[in-house]
Amino acid sequence: MQGWPSKALGWVESERVFRLVALKATAVSLVLRRHPEDPDEVVRPMQRQPDGDGFVWEVAEPDPATYYRYRVVQGTETFDIADPWSLAVARQFRLGHPTWSVARRTAFDWQGDVRPGTDVGHAIISEVHVRDFTAHPSAGNPHPGTYLGLADAAAPGGLGALRDLGITCVELMPVTSFPVLEPIDPPAGQPAHWGNPTGMNHWGYMPSFLLVPSERYSVRGANAAQDEWVGVDADGTFHDPGVELKRMVRALHRAGIAVIIDVVFNHVSTHDDNPLIRLDPGSWLHRESDGVTLRSHSGCGNDLNTSDPAMHRLVLDAVRHWMREYHVDGFRLDLATILDDRTLRDVRTATREEYPHAILISEPWSMAGYRPGDLAEFGHTVWNDRFRNGLKGNHPQTGRGFLFGRGDGGAPRSEIAALLGGWERVIGGHFETPKLSLNYLESHDNYTLGDFVRLALGEVRFDEQVERQQVAELTPQALRVHKLAAALLLLSRGSVMMAQGQEWARSKVQAGSMRGYLDGNSYNRDDATNHLDWTERTRNPDLVDEYRRLITLRKDWLLPAFSTGEAMHFLAGSCTWALGYGIDGSRGRLAVLLNGESECEAWFNLPGGAWWLLFGAENAEVVPIDGGVTVRVQPTSAIVLYCA
């Protein structure tokens, strides 16, 4: 069905028409109400109209009421559903999240908003969850847990903290509409924590409407009452959460911070009356070879089939809509390998057409496969788990990396230099250019970097219950490890991402049923496990200052040198896990020296000239020798030198 659907879908305001793709339906009507619970409704039959090689259901409506649904006759069933192409929805806050689509939306004045024009190769990204970043009382935020809270420059937990640190781009965890209440029972014979003991879809990775901003982060939605129609007044007035999201984006742009959003195009929620599932003609969701069983390469049991023409169109419509309507600067694709290759290429093309500086980042794995090289070929910057595992490790006990003077994390010593260099093909990596490698040590998944280090150093056991105040302040040994981790990340070539709270070695000490254990999978916890405690930032000021200094150093010295395209010259130290690199920049030569050994002092020889210490002077000694200098680097530390 090439070229289908060709007409605009959903409520098309410019044409004053509603259109729906419902291939199995025998009849469809448009249902209009002034309030979701208004007993008076207007019902308009829709007509089946040809569209390219297929058809759509269509009805003209010059002046629709605020709320609408479709009444679908399909086989022996008649049911009402919201529009899968909704641009806004009103949800009721109860299990199942009954939903109405919204046709009457609020205008917004962007006041001359200008995107920062951040290049992905120069971006210093912070992965942020809107609610977690702003919800804790210590955030001091007048709008905790909300878009407006993140837009607040004065609160300790708001955009001022990002600007102060030097962040140039935020990667927002999902802000597309999702059902917040998500009860999942554990499998038979398994303990309660194998299910979802909190009953919450806190991080939003179970989406419902791909073009709609979540009401969860609106002022009205942040603390919705049971059975409330979120954002709906008694007279039917709708308070669009998208307006608050736009205010947040505008504020971040004014602070020079680009905004990319984490989008889940690979599966949909099963915890509400999802229209994509109800209308699926058999090709919108992936199925196993029996043609019935839903495929689960996402681990959620309901993978979207983006090779289907309608689903392909939905993804591209979503990409264009978010860039046009919400001025986002790009996307991070969750479990991108589930998407078909045509869609992955077309998403890259669409983002560039909408905005030449658009940032497109992809997660290169799923149960469908691991394809970092292919995604890079399609023009996507890729989360580089090789960097994470090689430099940090993949397990605190059995898989530690360079940071601990070991090579158990999956990357041999010979690969570390290539990872620091952006994992380019010319040095044995996956990528044509370094900016296609997103280097990171911590993300929302798994243990925080702070907790990984606590466990790896034996300061906390896996089976140990602790209080947050016990672990918040770093020991001297842990502080050295964290400072080296900051250097490994921010002195690497490629794109870089930090997780929220990484700059103070944030811990996730679990609240609730597993109270006191370090939590390595906190997706469902809308509580102190995830909410950032900003008082902890003051417990480790030396580490926060170290991140701030390294970010400034990266911007002022390293990015200009990386931008020249000059090759990096790798340097071997006198210890096994000590290495570095030199690079020529417009201001002279730079040498970055790193020692992952916990006890061995490392010596490096540099060619002649006057070398000056730019960073890490307290960890270094520079001794003149014939033809150059030899430099001593203390264990678990990093230094940067400059030669004019």
Side-chain angles (χ1 to χ4, degrees), residues 54 63 95 104 106 139 176 236 321 409 506 539 561:
D63 188 27
L95 288 178
R104 292 181 178 268
T106 306
T176 50
H321 176 70
R506 170 201 185 193
R539 304 283 293 274

Side-chain angles (χ1 to χ4, degrees), residues 84 134 160 221 305 341 393 466 532 579 629:
T134 61
N305 178 14
D341 288 359
V466 297
L532 270 66
L579 56 83
V629 297

Side-chain angles (χ1 to χ4, degrees), residues 6 12 17 28 35 41 109 111 113 139 185 222 236 305 389 440 459 601 618 628-629:
S6 62
V12 188
V17 68
V28 179
H35 187 285
E41 62 185 26
D109 182 2
Q111 300 177 354
D113 177 61
D185 294 328
N305 178 14
N389 294 347
Y440 73 105
E459 295 178 350
E601 294 180 338
E618 69 279 10
V629 297

Side-chain angles (χ1 to χ4, degrees), residues 475-507:
T475 65
Q477 183 184 14
L479 179 60
R480 289 186 66 83
V481 172
H482 276 284
K483 285 185 173 182
L484 177 58
L488 289 171
L489 177 64
L490 291 163
L491 301 178
S492 67
R493 191 173 195 171
S495 308
V496 298
M497 183 188 78
M498 299 165 49
Q500 55 186 6
Q502 182 176 325
E503 70 270 24
W504 70 80
R506 170 201 185 193
S507 181

Side-chain angles (χ1 to χ4, degrees), residues 131-154:
R131 189 167 173 89
D132 289 343
F133 202 81
T134 61
H136 195 276
S138 64
N141 206 299
H143 300 295
T146 67
Y147 302 121
L148 296 185
L150 188 56
D152 194 302

Side-chain angles (χ1 to χ4, degrees), residues 494-553:
S495 308
V496 298
M497 183 188 78
M498 299 165 49
Q500 55 186 6
Q502 182 176 325
E503 70 270 24
W504 70 80
R506 170 201 185 193
S507 181
K508 289 186 183 178
V509 179
Q510 191 173 117
S513 62
M514 299 290 287
R515 180 177 175 81
Y517 295 103
L518 301 185
D519 196 328
N521 185 19
S522 59
Y523 78 95
N524 58 10
R525 299 201 169 273
D526 183 19
D527 57 29
T529 312
N530 278 315
H531 298 171
L532 270 66
D533 184 341
W534 289 89
T535 64
E536 293 177 0
R537 194 173 193 260
T538 64
R539 304 283 293 274
N540 296 302
D542 288 350
L543 182 57
V544 176
D545 286 344
E546 192 86 341
Y547 270 96
R548 193 182 290 114
R549 285 194 296 269
L550 283 162
I551 288 172
T552 299
L553 177 66

Side-chain angles (χ1 to χ4, degrees), residues 349-363:
T349 300
T351 57
R352 284 178 173 159
E353 288 175 349
E354 294 296 328
Y355 177 47
H357 299 291
I359 295 172
L360 183 61
I361 296 169
S362 284
E363 190 176 32

